[in-house]
Amino acid sequence: MPEIKVTPLGAGQDVGRSCILVSIGGKNIMLDCGMHMGYNDDRRFPDFSYITQNGRLTEFLDCVIISHFHLDHCGALPYMSEMVGYDGPIYMTHPTKAICPILLEDFRKITVDKKGETNFFTSQMIKDCMKKVIPLNLHQTVQVDDELEIKAYYAGHVLGAAMVHIKVGSESVVYTGDYNMTPDRHLGAAWIDKCRPDILISESTYATTIRDSKRCRERDFLKKVHETIERGGKVLIPVFALGRAQELCILLETFWERMNLKAPIYFSTGLTEKANHYYKLFITWTNQKIRKTFVQRNMFEFKHIKAFDRSYADNPGPMVVFATPGMLHAGQSLQIFKKWAGNEKNMVIMPGYCVQGTIGHKILNGQRKLEMEGRATLDVKLQVEYMSFSAHADAKGIMQLIRMAEPRNMLLVHGEAAKMEFLKGKIEQEFNINCYMPANGETETVTTNPSVPVDISLNLLKREMALGGPLPDTKKPRTMHGTLIMKENSLRLVSPEQALKELGLNEHQLRFTCRVQLQDPHSDSDTLHRIYTHLKSVLKGYTIQHLPDSTVMVESIVIKLSSSAEDPNTKVLLLSWSYQVIDLSYSQLLLNIRKKLTCSR
Amino acid sequence: YKLMMNYCLSGHPTLPCNVLKFKSTTIMLDCGLDTTSVLNFLPLPLVHSPRLSKLPGWVSKDGTVNLEKELKECAGRVFVDSQPEFCLPEKELLDLSTIDVILISNYHCMMALPYITEHTGFTGTVYATEPTLQIGRLLMEELVNFMERVPKAQSATCWKNKEIQRMLPGPLKDAVEVWTWKRCYSMQEVNSALSKVQLVGYSQKVELFGAVQVSPLSSGYSLGSSNWIIQSHHEKVAYVSGSSLLTTHPQPMDQSSLKNSDVLILTGLTQMPTANPDGMLGDFCSNLAMTIRAGGNVLVPCYSSGVIYDLLECLYQFIESASLGTTPFYFISPVANSSLEFSQIFAEWLCHNKQSKVYLPEPPFPHAELIQTNKLKHYPSIHGDFSSEFRQPCVVFTGHPSLRFGDVVHFMELWGKSSLNTIIFTEPDFSYLDALAPYQPLAMKCVYCPIDTRLNFHQVSKLLKEVQPLHVVCPEQYTQPPPSQSHRSDLMLELQPPPMPYRRCSVLSLPFRRRYERIHLLPELANSLVPSEIKPGISVATVSAVLHSKDNKHTLQSVPKPPPVPPTKKRKRVIEEPPEVLAPKPLLSGAVPLEAFLATLHKHGITEVKVEETADGHILHLQAEDTLIQLEEDGTHIVCDNNEPLRTTLRDLVLRFLQKL
């Protein structure tokens, strides 16, 4: 039985360093190649030694697919391709290809330049890695090789995020990456067609959350920002340069405009303008509304939001600052946080998920004293707010996607084990399909049951359709007979006659003849005629012929009669039929003749 | 042979409209609008023109026909004085409401869409790429805007009367299909037509009713332009529309996917087979620079998308070296801004060089920089800001290239009288002499640099050699040299077998060798098959199964076991229908070898066998059993009296030596 194997090297019952290996139809595919932001040691990257202990990965992988530009999905890519070694194709969408190297470089700088780590990938490695990338367009069917094809679907989540359908023969897997099922201020909702994959591998970040309506959350966010500004406090919003940041900027920009607010809004690091430029050039990846109006008003040109300078952090008075990175684990957002943490008038709003080990994660868990480098401690007095703005599908959204794609099996990754367990139960109950949630390094094997595509000769098909009609009668199914010819890689179903002809074979006739003696005083021809009329009256629905050469044919069974000259009353009945006769059996026929005439051996 | 029909609704080779009937689907390929008909109409001036408003009406020489309201004499020719009309694809050849889908190959080939999808009962889907849809919308919007800005109440119809048309001077006299000519559609009709478009990406496989799969391929001609593959598992039709092998801005043409088609429908070759686009571009620049240096203005009548992007890019590189840095360039069209903006957001659809620019991130086309540095300015029309900001000498890009409507009419009136000015024709769709006819006499210099990047005959014959279609279908124009160059046998298609030509209203039956259909064996059935090797590398298995056909998809499943019958009835049934009756029997092949067969009989306790040789084989007398077995090369005959168990045994022994099919 064919089977599909799925092994997460990362993101198995965890969020971070997403990396999932799929073996399908003899092909091996790596889905995402992310890093874990909660770790600084080996656990930061997926354990590629699982694939091979020594040497390069090229011969073990048919392709690598990156779902989107977040580092927990692409952060280990240069390490994998340049340091471990992989020269095969890497697929990602155009926006991901554009933005991914920038974030990787950003990440590299923080790690190497600020933390002084060595043995890390270099700028050149990022460039070399990106040269191996083949851009993917939405809905385009990409033939990786003769058998393996992939197709990308829109996933929402961030600019350029994609879900991917992987197909070999009639087996297939869908990997969602991260996705959201509700359109937001700048992105559309994920969509997939009814592709009925054998396995749907879905993220499950918000497996237990049913988020309240988007409008309420936005109002809440604006209210909190507004109140802090009103009392003269400063608001820090740690974000990643691309993604959530643009959505919140659009939100604040329109609010400032409407409320005529004067407090400054800043966006840290030089990435901002560049980031917005990406949004402008890839506007076709944003939502309907932005795309429709972009000629008149480009939503990514902000009037109220200005570039941030480090010195501004000490300015008196209220302000709102968007700073990177989003989990307060390094860089500018952390610096500003340290400055503002001591003042209870200030507020930090965490608009997304924070992985374990980051300061973001600690303060969200209510920790008010933080140990910093060099034994210093930091008292957290400012208000900490969490707003679930991450564009992930919630439980409802995940169920919605299952309904769209109609998978045969479900496999959860990118979530916490306990929450996955809950969702798994719900999925198995509602859809009556198996749901798996392997941990890292654990392999889940799903046997598939693919139907076998075959080429049927049009003559045979047409004949069958003409006889049986398009839908079989369930009470009396018509059986169709054919011969399947297997030659090299081709499977052809033809009529047995055609098969003989094509294969240059002679038909071998197998016939049976049976002699039966009977007594009848009539002449030979009369006896035969009596047999004929009798059979005609009892065997309704059969073709019965009385041929001029003194034979009676019942379907293809031949009946002949002879008698010897010395005893004309003793007749010998000859029944002859071929092996293929199936409509009527010889014994059945004889039974009927016996009823009429007395037979003896 | 299974026939596939092709209905040809347009005779214009570059503005095609074909309908394919293939496996119970009806597919329209493009719906081009032939706008050359507008050359027979008077220009629509944006500003009151004393010259055009005082033209004499036309009366036949003998005075019997008076059409002075409808026809005007201008510059020695007769023109229709009404809103310009377009020549539509043929609507009578087949019922348009039966069309299932329309496949669009590029934005120039979809301009008749509202005439097809609106008011015809059309309920199907239109497939196009996103750039094709967006730019197509802009071009339609522009066309509607040009017409609605200069409303003309009058609709001229009398001249179309066959009797009258015959008496008119040329070229009106020779105009064909005049009764099918229609006025421009409305914006409402455009919106309704375009709402039926479903977007597709290159190499996307779209299933139609389970029977046919269609897929667009990059054709290299314009943003989002595509050729189409229409195929089932065993038949493949390639539809080649405007395609280009030159490196301009679009993604390169996908040639390899066209390979091995049964039929290739070839349309949209270059209209300028003898003009080299690069040379034309050079001429364009030098004439432009010459005129500006001499203090004159340059008018470039053009479409709002397409070659204009290449012209602007060429000028971007040329401006500094030709010291044209201070010359203003104007692009005037109701959709100028949108066209320039849209061109920058379709990175996926651009050539590699331009694509990599957005990774920086920089706009893919340099006209962004021309706009930023104020060298290129765009205006929706000559009214408003343009009239106050306009400086001369300058270069103006504006439409429509027919010179019959749009802002270009104003510039013709304004600049036509000065020999300092130059008009440079770059679009190949209209004869420039006909376009200029109502403006004669002109003092303005005219330069003709038609840039048509579509395939030429040399390129196409190379392509066809490469992709090897079994049959080629093309407009009849491609099967003979152009009338003006009848000696140029290199300007036609010469193929073996010769292409099947079509003209407007042709209905072609395309030869199709269709012998197989895809069917799926359900896993249970597939696992139950018992293959046996017949020859080295060839195995066969007999298949007995139930056929299911739904939505043009066929599956075979195992024969269901008969439902258990209640015990009371069972006995009766067994007598009436012994189970043997239902079992299917395969065809047999091979021969029964005598010695081996005798050995087998022996093993089964049949020892008294008398073998008799005959002409064709042997006869075996099973003496104890009083039975004969006749063994021949291609047949076995068992003659056995009423002894069912023996017969069954003998049958099974014979079958051991035979192959079953």
Side-chain angles (χ1 to χ4, degrees), chain A residues 120 264 538:
Chain A
F120 204 72
V538 290

Side-chain angles (χ1 to χ4, degrees), chain A residues 164-429:
Chain A
V164 58
H165 185 239
I166 300 143
K167 195 173 158 214
V168 181
S170 41
E171 294 175 277
S172 69
V173 169
V174 168
Y175 172 59
T176 64
D178 292 354
Y179 63 104
N180 65 319
M181 295 298 287
T182 43
D184 64 24
R185 274 175 191 269
H186 74 290
L187 295 167
W191 179 85
I192 195 160
D193 51 30
K194 195 167 288 181
C195 52
R196 297 195 176 95
D198 292 297
I199 311 178
L200 173 63
I201 305 174
S202 172
E203 65 135 326
S204 50
T205 323
Y206 290 135
T208 56
T209 325
I210 303 281
R211 287 180 296 169
D212 47 5
S213 94
K214 188 95 187 170
R215 294 269 157 215
C216 292
R217 270 181 290 142
E218 287 176 358
R219 216 180 306 129
D220 220 28
F221 168 76
L222 293 171
K223 203 175 132 211
K224 278 174 186 156
V225 172
H226 195 198
E227 280 168 4
T228 310
I229 296 296
E230 288 286 283
R231 65 168 179 258
K234 296 176 168 63
V235 181
L236 171 65
I237 308 174
V239 286
F240 284 98
L242 288 136
R244 251 0 50 200
Q246 278 67 29
E247 187 189 351
L248 296 180
C249 283
I250 294 174
L251 194 60
L252 282 189
E253 168 92 5
T254 41
F255 187 67
W256 252 237
E257 186 97 25
R258 199 174 73 222
M259 304 294 286
N260 199 19
L261 297 178
K262 295 283 178 269
I265 309 175
Y266 297 113
F267 202 121
S268 81
T269 77
L271 250 181
T272 338
E273 225 173 305
K274 221 171 161 184
N276 292 340
H277 214 106
Y278 281 115
Y279 276 83
K280 285 186 222 165
L281 292 173
F282 288 114
I283 209 111
T284 55
W285 287 79
T286 60
N287 70 27
Q288 202 81 42
K289 197 180 151 204
I290 294 183
R291 279 157 55 176
K292 255 199 160 141
T293 55
F294 93 103
V295 176
Q296 291 78 41
R297 183 178 187 284
N298 199 316
M299 291 293 269
F300 298 103
E301 276 161 17
F302 302 117
K303 270 195 285 182
H304 296 275
I305 301 167
K306 310 222 161 51
F308 180 73
D309 184 280
R310 254 212 279 195
S311 62
Y312 296 174
D314 299 318
N315 284 359
M319 68 174 85
V320 179
V321 176
F322 289 95
T324 55
M327 300 186 194
L328 286 179
H329 57 280
Q332 200 147 31
S333 63
L334 185 58
Q335 284 169 18
I336 300 171
F337 176 76
K338 283 188 204 161
K339 279 202 172 136
W340 295 357
N343 191 339
E344 61 272 17
K345 270 207 286 185
N346 297 342
M347 180 183 281
V348 60
I349 300 180
M350 306 297 297
Y353 184 86
C354 290
V355 299
Q356 217 160 18
T358 59
I359 290 184
H361 188 262
K362 287 176 189 159
I363 61 169
L364 282 180
N365 278 329
Q367 209 172 317
R368 300 309 269 184
K369 266 195 198 307
L370 298 172
E371 280 174 36
M372 307 309 280
E373 285 144 47
R375 296 198 176 175
T377 56
L378 182 67
D379 284 320
V380 181
K381 290 187 181 153
L382 89 177
Q383 294 183 48
V384 178
E385 293 288 345
Y386 172 67
M387 309 232 58
S388 141
F389 272 105
S390 298
H392 291 281
D394 60 5
K396 216 168 104 192
I398 295 169
M399 303 300 254
Q400 208 180 327
L401 189 78
I402 299 176
R403 240 164 268 134
M404 268 186 182
E406 292 189 1
R408 296 189 179 91
N409 296 279
M410 191 70 194
L411 192 144
L412 300 177
V413 293
H414 200 283
E416 291 162 29
K419 292 181 179 176
M420 279 184 180
E421 200 73 62
F422 175 81
L423 184 64
K424 173 178 145 77
K426 263 187 80 168
I427 290 169
E428 290 182 329
Q429 191 192 347

Side-chain angles (χ1 to χ4, degrees), chain B residues 468-487:
Chain B
Q468 300 213 319
L470 290 182
H471 300 275
V472 172
V473 174
C474 69
E476 61 177 357
Q477 289 92 331
Y478 297 163
T479 58
Q480 61 223 10
S484 56
Q485 288 155 299
S486 52
H487 60 289

Side-chain angles (χ1 to χ4, degrees), chain B residues 448-463:
Chain B
Y448 189 49
C449 308
I451 297 172
D452 194 332
T453 58
R454 285 172 281 212
L455 297 175
N456 60 35
F457 287 99
H458 175 69
Q459 290 166 325
V460 84
S461 48
K462 221 175 121 190
L463 173 76

Side-chain angles (χ1 to χ4, degrees), chain B residues 69-350:
Chain B
K69 286 247 156 53
E70 289 196 356
L71 304 179
K72 296 281 153 69
E73 280 186 65
C74 177
R77 273 210 209 185
V78 176
F79 293 93
V80 183
D81 184 15
S82 100
Q83 198 189 90
E85 294 178 340
F86 309 125
C87 180
L88 309 197
E90 186 58 46
K91 288 174 118 176
E92 305 302 319
L93 197 59
L94 88 168
D95 180 0
L96 295 179
S97 71
T98 61
I99 290 171
D100 298 311
V101 295
I102 303 180
L103 308 180
I104 304 292
S105 55
N106 62 68
Y107 48 76
H108 286 301
C109 291
M110 65 185 284
M111 298 301 277
L113 195 60
Y115 296 116
I116 306 289
T117 63
E118 305 310 297
H119 321 299
T120 56
F122 173 82
T123 54
T125 309
V126 183
Y127 289 96
T129 62
E130 183 163 15
T132 298
L133 169 68
Q134 301 298 2
I135 295 171
R137 180 192 297 279
L138 295 182
L139 295 184
M140 289 183 181
E141 210 179 297
E142 183 185 52
L143 204 59
V144 173
N145 185 292
F146 283 159
M147 295 297 174
E148 290 181 351
R149 262 158 66 187
V150 192
K152 277 220 170 189
Q154 169 166 280
S155 197
T157 51
C158 294
W159 71 273
K160 292 182 183 177
N161 184 303
K162 252 191 194 135
E163 293 307 307
I164 293 175
Q165 197 198 352
R166 257 195 346 198
M167 301 169 65
L168 300 178
L172 263 187
K173 181 182 165 187
D174 307 313
V176 290
E177 315 284 347
V178 293
W179 283 105
T180 70
W181 292 12
K182 285 274 162 351
R183 301 176 68 150
C184 189
Y185 31 71
S186 69
M187 208 49 219
Q188 193 192 354
E189 285 164 325
V190 170
N191 288 331
S192 171
L194 296 183
S195 72
K196 296 169 177 112
V197 175
Q198 191 152 338
L199 296 181
V200 284
Y202 286 150
S203 306
Q204 181 176 344
K205 294 175 179 170
V206 181
E207 290 276 340
L208 304 181
F209 318 107
V212 179
Q213 190 185 65
V214 297
S215 189
L217 308 173
S218 176
S219 79
Y221 170 56
S222 62
L223 262 173
S225 70
S226 23
N227 292 322
W228 290 84
I229 295 294
I230 301 122
Q231 64 186 342
S232 69
H233 276 287
H234 297 282
E235 300 83 23
K236 179 170 174 180
V237 179
Y239 173 58
V240 174
S241 188
S243 300
S244 178
L245 291 172
L246 299 181
T247 327
T248 60
H249 57 273
Q251 211 181 93
M253 179 181 179
D254 176 352
Q255 299 178 61
S256 61
S257 305
L258 297 171
K259 275 187 185 158
N260 303 322
S261 41
D262 300 281
V263 172
L264 186 144
I265 303 174
L266 179 68
T267 68
L269 300 182
T270 178
Q271 300 185 84
M272 297 294 145
T274 52
N276 174 304
D278 284 329
M280 291 293 122
L281 208 54
D283 287 359
F284 170 79
C285 287
S286 58
N287 278 294
L288 183 144
M290 222 145 64
T291 306
I292 296 291
R293 276 193 214 110
N297 300 295
V298 176
L299 179 61
V300 187
C302 61
Y303 292 116
S304 297
S305 178
V307 174
I308 184 168
Y309 304 141
D310 299 320
L311 293 179
L312 290 174
E313 179 152 11
C314 180
L315 288 172
Y316 168 80
Q317 290 155 1
F318 178 72
I319 281 173
E320 294 309 321
S321 62
S323 47
L324 295 171
T326 55
T327 312
F329 288 77
Y330 300 115
F331 177 18
I332 302 168
S333 157
V335 299
N337 186 25
S338 298
S339 168
L340 294 171
E341 289 284 341
F342 268 113
S343 66
Q344 307 286 19
I345 66 160
F346 291 126
E348 281 110 312
W349 308 89
L350 294 173

